Amino acid sequence: MAQAWKCSGLRWSADGPVLAWDGGRRSALTWGKRVAFGVADGGVRTCVGARGHACPVRAAVSGRSTGARCEECARLDRAHSVAADTIADDPRPYHVYLAWFGPGMTKVGITAEERGSARLLEQGAVCFSWLGVGPLMAARRTEELLRAALRVPDRIPYADKRAVRSALPGAEAERAAEIAELHGRALALGAWPESLRAEPFRPVDHVEVFGLAGLPDAAGEVAELVAGGAVGGRLVAAAGPDLHLDTGGGVVVLDTRLMTGWGLVPVEGAEVSVPVREFRREAGVQDGLF
Protein backbone atom coordinates (compact mmCIF):
# COMPACT_ATOMS: atom_id res chain seq x y z
CA MET A 1 0.00 0.00 0.00
CA ALA A 2 1.29 3.48 -0.92
CA GLN A 3 2.33 5.78 1.88
CA ALA A 4 -0.45 8.20 2.90
CA TRP A 5 0.40 11.90 3.08
CA LYS A 6 -1.32 14.66 5.03
CA CYS A 7 -1.90 17.95 3.22
CA SER A 8 -1.63 21.16 5.23
CA GLY A 9 -3.15 23.37 2.56
CA LEU A 10 -2.45 25.60 -0.42
CA ARG A 11 0.24 28.27 0.03
CA TRP A 12 1.16 31.18 -2.20
CA SER A 13 4.87 31.78 -2.82
CA ALA A 14 6.68 34.31 -4.98
CA ASP A 15 6.67 31.66 -7.74
CA GLY A 16 2.97 30.84 -7.48
CA PRO A 17 0.80 28.28 -5.67
CA VAL A 18 2.22 25.28 -3.82
CA LEU A 19 0.60 22.47 -1.88
CA ALA A 20 2.15 22.06 1.56
CA TRP A 21 2.41 18.69 3.31
CA ASP A 22 2.94 17.71 6.92
CA GLY A 23 6.68 17.30 7.45
CA GLY A 24 7.64 20.30 5.32
CA ARG A 25 7.43 18.93 1.79
CA ARG A 26 5.95 21.23 -0.85
CA SER A 27 4.58 20.53 -4.34
CA ALA A 28 4.80 23.42 -6.81
CA LEU A 29 1.70 23.86 -8.98
CA THR A 30 2.02 25.12 -12.56
CA TRP A 31 -0.60 25.60 -15.25
CA GLY A 32 -1.17 22.43 -17.21
CA LYS A 33 0.23 20.20 -14.50
CA ARG A 34 -1.78 17.09 -13.69
CA VAL A 35 -3.05 17.02 -10.12
CA ALA A 36 -4.19 13.57 -8.98
CA PHE A 37 -4.64 11.93 -5.59
CA GLY A 38 -6.79 9.39 -3.85
CA VAL A 39 -8.18 9.22 -0.33
CA ALA A 40 -6.92 6.19 1.58
CA ASP A 41 -9.44 3.33 1.58
CA GLY A 42 -11.12 3.03 4.96
CA GLY A 43 -9.66 6.37 6.06
CA VAL A 44 -11.30 8.81 8.44
CA ARG A 45 -10.84 12.56 8.33
CA THR A 46 -9.34 13.72 11.62
CA CYS A 47 -9.03 17.13 13.24
CA VAL A 48 -5.90 19.06 12.24
CA GLY A 49 -5.47 20.61 15.70
CA ALA A 50 -4.90 24.24 16.57
CA ARG A 51 -2.03 26.72 16.44
CA GLY A 52 0.62 24.11 15.68
CA HIS A 53 -0.61 21.55 18.22
CA ALA A 54 -2.20 18.22 17.34
CA CYS A 55 -5.77 17.49 18.40
CA PRO A 56 -5.40 15.61 21.72
CA VAL A 57 -8.23 13.19 20.89
CA ARG A 58 -7.74 13.00 17.09
CA ALA A 59 -11.43 13.74 16.71
CA ALA A 60 -13.24 12.80 13.50
CA VAL A 61 -14.50 15.79 11.50
CA SER A 62 -16.99 16.26 8.68
CA GLY A 63 -15.79 15.84 5.12
CA ARG A 64 -17.57 19.09 4.20
CA SER A 65 -15.78 21.24 6.79
CA THR A 66 -13.28 23.69 5.30
CA GLY A 67 -11.67 24.18 8.72
CA ALA A 68 -11.10 20.48 9.46
CA ARG A 69 -11.19 21.15 13.21
CA CYS A 70 -13.27 19.76 16.02
CA GLU A 71 -15.26 22.22 18.11
CA GLU A 72 -12.62 22.51 20.85
CA CYS A 73 -9.69 22.99 18.46
CA ALA A 74 -11.67 25.54 16.43
CA ARG A 75 -12.26 27.51 19.64
CA LEU A 76 -8.57 27.37 20.53
CA ASP A 77 -7.53 28.38 17.02
CA ARG A 78 -9.65 31.53 17.20
CA ALA A 79 -8.26 32.45 20.61
CA HIS A 80 -5.67 35.24 20.22
CA SER A 81 -6.90 35.80 16.67
CA VAL A 82 -6.81 39.20 15.00
CA ALA A 83 -9.81 38.20 12.88
CA ALA A 84 -11.82 37.41 16.01
CA ASP A 85 -10.83 40.68 17.73
CA THR A 86 -9.15 38.83 20.59
CA ILE A 87 -5.82 40.69 20.25
CA ALA A 88 -5.62 44.39 21.05
CA ASP A 89 -1.93 44.82 21.89
CA ASP A 90 -0.20 43.55 18.74
CA PRO A 91 2.59 46.09 18.18
CA ARG A 92 2.97 45.41 14.45
CA PRO A 93 1.69 47.93 11.87
CA TYR A 94 -1.36 46.82 9.87
CA HIS A 95 -2.55 47.62 6.37
CA VAL A 96 -6.18 48.39 5.64
CA TYR A 97 -7.04 47.21 2.12
CA LEU A 98 -9.86 47.21 -0.41
CA ALA A 99 -10.19 43.95 -2.37
CA TRP A 100 -12.31 43.19 -5.45
CA PHE A 101 -13.47 39.69 -6.40
CA GLY A 102 -15.89 40.47 -9.21
CA PRO A 103 -18.63 42.94 -10.15
CA GLY A 104 -20.40 44.17 -7.02
CA MET A 105 -18.04 42.24 -4.73
CA THR A 106 -15.65 44.54 -2.89
CA LYS A 107 -14.58 44.09 0.72
CA VAL A 108 -12.48 45.89 3.30
CA GLY A 109 -9.97 44.05 5.46
CA ILE A 110 -6.75 44.34 7.42
CA THR A 111 -3.50 42.41 7.32
CA ALA A 112 -0.14 42.75 9.06
CA GLU A 113 2.15 44.98 6.98
CA GLU A 114 4.95 42.40 7.19
CA ARG A 115 2.81 39.86 5.31
CA GLY A 116 2.70 42.01 2.20
CA SER A 117 0.03 40.83 -0.26
CA ALA A 118 -0.06 37.20 1.00
CA ARG A 119 -3.49 37.65 2.61
CA LEU A 120 -4.95 38.93 -0.65
CA LEU A 121 -3.61 35.94 -2.59
CA GLU A 122 -4.98 33.58 0.07
CA GLN A 123 -8.44 35.12 -0.27
CA GLY A 124 -8.43 35.02 -4.06
CA ALA A 125 -8.65 38.82 -4.50
CA VAL A 126 -8.70 39.56 -8.23
CA CYS A 127 -7.39 43.06 -7.56
CA PHE A 128 -6.74 45.20 -4.51
CA SER A 129 -5.29 48.45 -3.23
CA TRP A 130 -3.96 49.51 0.13
CA LEU A 131 -6.04 52.17 1.83
CA GLY A 132 -3.96 53.00 4.91
CA VAL A 133 -1.41 51.72 7.41
CA GLY A 134 -1.08 52.12 11.16
CA PRO A 135 -1.47 50.42 14.55
CA LEU A 136 -3.82 47.43 14.80
CA MET A 137 -6.65 49.15 16.62
CA ALA A 138 -6.52 52.17 14.26
CA ALA A 139 -6.70 49.80 11.29
CA ARG A 140 -9.61 47.97 12.91
CA ARG A 141 -11.49 51.24 13.58
CA THR A 142 -10.99 52.28 9.95
CA GLU A 143 -12.35 48.92 8.77
CA GLU A 144 -15.41 49.43 10.97
CA LEU A 145 -15.82 53.01 9.70
CA LEU A 146 -16.06 51.80 6.10
CA ARG A 147 -18.54 49.11 7.04
CA ALA A 148 -20.77 51.62 8.84
CA ALA A 149 -20.43 54.67 6.60
CA LEU A 150 -20.07 53.07 3.16
CA ARG A 151 -21.67 49.67 3.80
CA VAL A 152 -18.56 47.81 2.65
CA PRO A 153 -18.57 44.20 3.94
CA ASP A 154 -15.55 42.50 5.48
CA ARG A 155 -16.40 39.11 3.99
CA ILE A 156 -17.33 37.76 0.55
CA PRO A 157 -18.52 34.11 0.41
CA TYR A 158 -16.19 31.81 -1.55
CA ALA A 159 -19.14 30.46 -3.53
CA ASP A 160 -19.76 33.97 -4.88
CA LYS A 161 -16.08 34.44 -5.76
CA ARG A 162 -16.00 31.17 -7.71
CA ALA A 163 -19.18 31.94 -9.62
CA VAL A 164 -17.72 34.94 -11.47
CA ARG A 165 -14.08 33.99 -12.13
CA SER A 166 -14.70 32.88 -15.72
CA ALA A 167 -16.63 36.07 -16.60
CA LEU A 168 -14.45 38.89 -15.28
CA PRO A 169 -13.92 42.13 -17.24
CA GLY A 170 -11.01 41.80 -19.64
CA ALA A 171 -9.20 45.06 -18.87
CA GLU A 172 -7.28 45.81 -15.68
CA ALA A 173 -8.79 49.30 -15.52
CA GLU A 174 -12.31 47.83 -15.57
CA ARG A 175 -11.42 45.39 -12.80
CA ALA A 176 -10.00 48.21 -10.66
CA ALA A 177 -12.85 50.69 -11.25
CA GLU A 178 -14.96 49.77 -8.22
CA ILE A 179 -12.12 49.92 -5.71
CA ALA A 180 -10.86 53.17 -7.31
CA GLU A 181 -14.23 54.82 -6.68
CA LEU A 182 -14.50 53.38 -3.19
CA HIS A 183 -10.93 54.39 -2.32
CA GLY A 184 -11.79 58.02 -3.12
CA ARG A 185 -14.98 57.92 -1.06
CA ALA A 186 -13.13 56.33 1.87
CA LEU A 187 -10.43 59.02 1.91
CA ALA A 188 -13.12 61.69 1.90
CA LEU A 189 -14.66 60.38 5.12
CA GLY A 190 -14.09 62.22 8.35
CA ALA A 191 -13.31 60.49 11.64
CA TRP A 192 -10.24 58.59 10.41
CA PRO A 193 -7.99 57.59 13.33
CA GLU A 194 -5.14 60.09 13.58
CA SER A 195 -2.56 57.30 13.83
CA LEU A 196 -3.56 55.76 10.48
CA ARG A 197 -1.62 57.03 7.44
CA ALA A 198 -3.61 57.09 4.21
CA GLU A 199 -2.11 55.27 1.23
CA PRO A 200 -2.51 56.38 -2.42
CA PHE A 201 -4.59 54.29 -4.80
CA ARG A 202 -2.26 51.78 -6.47
CA PRO A 203 -4.22 48.78 -7.81
CA VAL A 204 -2.58 45.37 -7.93
CA ASP A 205 -4.13 42.87 -10.37
CA HIS A 206 -3.93 39.08 -9.86
CA VAL A 207 -5.61 37.79 -13.04
CA GLU A 208 -2.31 36.59 -14.52
CA VAL A 209 -1.04 35.32 -11.16
CA PHE A 210 -4.18 33.20 -10.76
CA GLY A 211 -4.35 32.11 -14.41
CA LEU A 212 -7.86 33.52 -14.84
CA ALA A 213 -7.49 34.93 -18.35
CA GLY A 214 -9.68 32.83 -20.65
CA LEU A 215 -10.77 30.60 -17.76
CA PRO A 216 -13.45 28.09 -18.87
CA ASP A 217 -16.76 27.96 -17.04
CA ALA A 218 -16.76 25.42 -14.21
CA ALA A 219 -19.21 22.52 -14.31
CA GLY A 220 -19.09 21.76 -10.60
CA GLU A 221 -17.21 21.97 -7.33
CA VAL A 222 -16.06 19.18 -5.04
CA ALA A 223 -18.50 18.97 -2.13
CA GLU A 224 -16.33 16.73 0.04
CA LEU A 225 -13.70 14.02 -0.11
CA VAL A 226 -14.60 10.47 0.89
CA ALA A 227 -12.59 7.38 1.78
CA GLY A 228 -11.65 5.50 -1.38
CA GLY A 229 -12.49 8.46 -3.62
CA ALA A 230 -10.12 10.22 -6.01
CA VAL A 231 -9.63 13.58 -7.69
CA GLY A 232 -7.66 14.17 -10.87
CA GLY A 233 -7.37 16.82 -13.53
CA ARG A 234 -5.16 19.28 -15.36
CA LEU A 235 -4.61 22.53 -13.47
CA VAL A 236 -5.98 25.51 -15.43
CA ALA A 237 -6.16 28.13 -12.66
CA ALA A 238 -5.79 28.65 -8.92
CA ALA A 239 -7.16 31.43 -6.73
CA GLY A 240 -7.21 31.64 -2.96
CA PRO A 241 -7.56 28.04 -1.72
CA ASP A 242 -9.18 26.84 -4.97
CA LEU A 243 -7.79 24.73 -7.80
CA HIS A 244 -9.64 24.76 -11.13
CA LEU A 245 -9.07 21.32 -12.68
CA ASP A 246 -9.93 20.27 -16.23
CA THR A 247 -11.11 16.71 -15.73
CA GLY A 248 -11.80 15.94 -19.38
CA GLY A 249 -15.51 16.10 -18.67
CA GLY A 250 -15.45 19.76 -17.66
CA VAL A 251 -13.71 22.00 -15.15
CA VAL A 252 -14.22 21.12 -11.48
CA VAL A 253 -13.21 23.44 -8.64
CA LEU A 254 -11.45 21.86 -5.65
CA ASP A 255 -11.25 23.85 -2.42
CA THR A 256 -7.94 22.53 -1.08
CA ARG A 257 -9.10 23.12 2.49
CA LEU A 258 -11.20 19.97 2.00
CA MET A 259 -7.96 17.97 1.61
CA THR A 260 -6.68 18.62 5.13
CA GLY A 261 -7.19 15.93 7.76
CA TRP A 262 -7.28 13.05 5.25
CA GLY A 263 -4.62 10.48 4.44
CA LEU A 264 -3.95 10.99 0.71
CA VAL A 265 -2.23 8.58 -1.65
CA PRO A 266 -0.84 8.78 -5.21
CA VAL A 267 -3.07 7.50 -8.01
CA GLU A 268 -2.59 7.08 -11.75
CA GLY A 269 -4.99 8.58 -14.25
CA ALA A 270 -7.78 9.33 -11.77
CA GLU A 271 -10.63 11.64 -12.67
CA VAL A 272 -13.19 12.63 -10.00
CA SER A 273 -14.96 9.97 -7.94
CA VAL A 274 -16.02 12.09 -4.96
CA PRO A 275 -19.28 14.03 -4.49
CA VAL A 276 -19.50 17.08 -6.79
CA ARG A 277 -22.22 19.70 -6.57
CA GLU A 278 -23.45 21.58 -9.62
CA PHE A 279 -21.64 24.86 -9.92
CA ARG A 280 -23.42 28.04 -8.88
CA ARG A 281 -24.01 30.27 -11.89
CA GLU A 282 -25.18 33.38 -10.06
CA ALA A 283 -23.20 35.16 -7.36
CA GLY A 284 -24.69 37.11 -4.50
CA VAL A 285 -24.56 40.87 -4.80
CA GLN A 286 -23.02 43.21 -2.31
CA ASP A 287 -25.43 44.99 0.08
CA GLY A 288 4.54 13.51 -2.12
CA LEU A 289 1.78 13.24 -4.60
CA PHE A 290 2.82 15.36 -7.53
Side-chain angles (χ1 to χ4, degrees):
M1 180 181 293
Q3 177 186 356
W5 292 78
K6 289 289 187 78
C7 181
S8 55
L10 187 67
R11 305 284 186 268
W12 285 90
S13 72
D15 298 321
V18 297
L19 279 175
W21 305 93
D22 288 3
R25 180 178 175 181
R26 294 196 165 200
S27 302
L29 298 173
T30 54
W31 312 140
K33 184 173 188 173
R34 182 158 184 80
V35 176
F37 63 88
V39 184
D41 241 345
V44 175
R45 193 184 192 198
T46 55
C47 174
V48 297
R51 308 190 72 79
H53 300 285
C55 177
V57 296
R58 291 182 52 81
V61 293
S62 166
R64 293 176 180 264
S65 166
T66 54
R69 289 185 174 91
C70 67
E71 185 175 341
E72 180 61 18
C73 286
R75 184 187 67 79
L76 291 172
D77 189 63
R78 286 187 67 80
H80 310 297
S81 165
V82 170
D85 279 336
T86 56
I87 297 178
D89 58 353
D90 188 335
R92 297 175 298 172
Y94 275 76
H95 262 132
V96 184
Y97 62 81
L98 295 171
W100 185 86
F101 300 90
M105 289 186 286
T106 300
K107 64 158 281 187
V108 61
I110 68 173
T111 184
E113 184 182 33
E114 65 188 30
R115 294 205 68 210
S117 61
R119 182 68 180 141
L120 286 306
L121 292 166
E122 291 165 359
Q123 293 183 37
V126 176
C127 66
F128 79 93
S129 175
W130 303 127
L131 180 62
V133 64
L136 171 59
M137 295 314 293
R140 183 63 83 198
R141 286 195 298 273
T142 305
E143 182 185 42
E144 292 170 354
L145 174 65
L146 265 65
R147 287 205 304 262
L150 302 180
R151 300 182 66 190
V152 185
D154 62 353
R155 285 180 175 80
I156 301 290
Y158 273 104
D160 290 353
K161 299 176 189 180
R162 294 171 187 136
V164 299
R165 284 186 190 139
S166 62
L168 296 170
E172 286 191 23
E174 289 182 78
R175 296 193 290 270
E178 287 185 39
I179 55 173
E181 189 267 344
L182 188 57
H183 191 281
R185 291 172 61 200
L187 292 186
L189 290 173
W192 269 53
E194 292 183 2
S195 56
L196 193 93
R197 184 181 79 247
E199 298 267 55
F201 179 66
R202 293 195 182 101
V204 178
D205 194 272
H206 287 153
V207 161
E208 293 300 324
V209 175
F210 292 154
L212 302 181
L215 180 67
D217 288 340
E221 56 189 337
V222 173
E224 63 179 318
L225 301 184
V226 294
V231 174
R234 182 177 59 86
L235 183 66
V236 294
D242 297 338
L243 302 181
H244 290 246
L245 303 174
D246 184 352
T247 66
V251 173
V252 172
V253 182
L254 169 66
D255 184 337
T256 55
R257 296 175 298 176
L258 297 175
M259 297 169 65
T260 58
W262 287 104
L264 304 177
V265 296
V267 292
E268 294 291 337
E271 295 301 339
V272 179
S273 58
V274 296
V276 174
R277 70 172 66 92
E278 186 177 350
F279 200 74
R280 286 184 55 182
R281 296 296 176 188
E282 297 181 3
V285 294
Q286 180 170 313
D287 211 320
L289 297 179
F290 308 100

